[in-house]
Amino acid sequence: MKMLFSASTCAFYATDWEKDYRSSKSWPEDVKEVDEKTYIKFSQQPPFNKVLGEKNGLPTWVDMPPLTTAEADKANVSKREMLLSMAGGKINIWQAKLIMGRLSDDEKAKLSAWLDYIDALEAMDTSETGSINWPDLPVA
């Protein structure tokens, strides 16, 4: 089956599908034939921070566009929630030991460091744009 690439839609099309696309008035007029090697390369998972794009009407990997402010904010909130969940899991045993009076001085220091980390995460403004300075993970 011959494969075609459209720069305007940044998508691949099989020649076998042309009739169906034309009947639905969605066949792009700028398709170019690509060889099997090109189709396989650019129909797989892109490299890190790349997306499918076009150059001179043919597929290529291009830099991923920067996140919108809303996307960046959502990503920051998700990362903070993941870090809070991980920290909460880390301190569970120590909290139980503390309640039972079985927490050593070394463990108290570690628990305190993790609680400080949780406080720092909760105090963060995740709506910042650009590079956020995330608090450092406690040592243990």
Side-chain angles (χ1 to χ4, degrees):
M1 169 176 11
K2 280 197 307 187
M3 292 304 293
L4 308 167
F5 179 77
S6 165
S8 64
T9 63
C10 212
F12 291 98
Y13 299 85
T15 54
D16 294 355
W17 308 332
E18 182 175 358
K19 182 179 177 183
D20 293 330
Y21 277 102
R22 286 198 184 276
S23 69
S24 67
K25 298 187 184 336
S26 59
W27 182 256
E29 296 302 324
D30 65 339
V31 291
K32 287 186 177 182
E33 187 172 345
V34 294
D35 60 34
E36 183 178 3
K37 182 180 172 184
T38 300
Y39 170 68
I40 290 170
K41 176 181 178 179
F42 291 104
S43 61
Q44 295 184 14
Q45 183 74 25
F48 179 72
N49 273 345
K50 299 287 183 181
V51 293
L52 182 62
E54 68 85 23
K55 184 176 182 180
N56 300 323
L58 294 172
T60 189
W61 297 127
V62 297
D63 290 337
M64 186 176 288
L67 296 176
T68 65
T69 301
E71 290 168 333
D73 186 43
K74 185 175 180 179
N76 290 339
V77 168
S78 292
K79 180 175 179 173
R80 181 177 65 182
E81 293 305 314
M82 183 269 306
L83 292 172
L84 284 167
S85 177
M86 182 266 309
K90 186 78 173 166
I91 67 173
N92 279 343
I93 301 277
W94 292 326
Q95 288 174 322
K97 284 184 170 186
L98 180 65
I99 291 169
M100 299 299 294
R102 297 180 50 193
L103 194 65
S104 70
D105 288 341
D106 182 53
E107 290 171 323
K108 283 180 187 175
K110 291 176 182 178
L111 174 59
S112 182
W114 278 93
L115 290 172
D116 290 344
Y117 176 73
I118 289 170
D119 289 342
L121 285 172
E122 289 177 337
M124 290 185 67
D125 178 6
T126 57
S127 66
E128 292 179 31
T129 56
S131 181
I132 288 185
N133 291 321
W134 295 93
D136 293 329
L137 284 170
V139 175

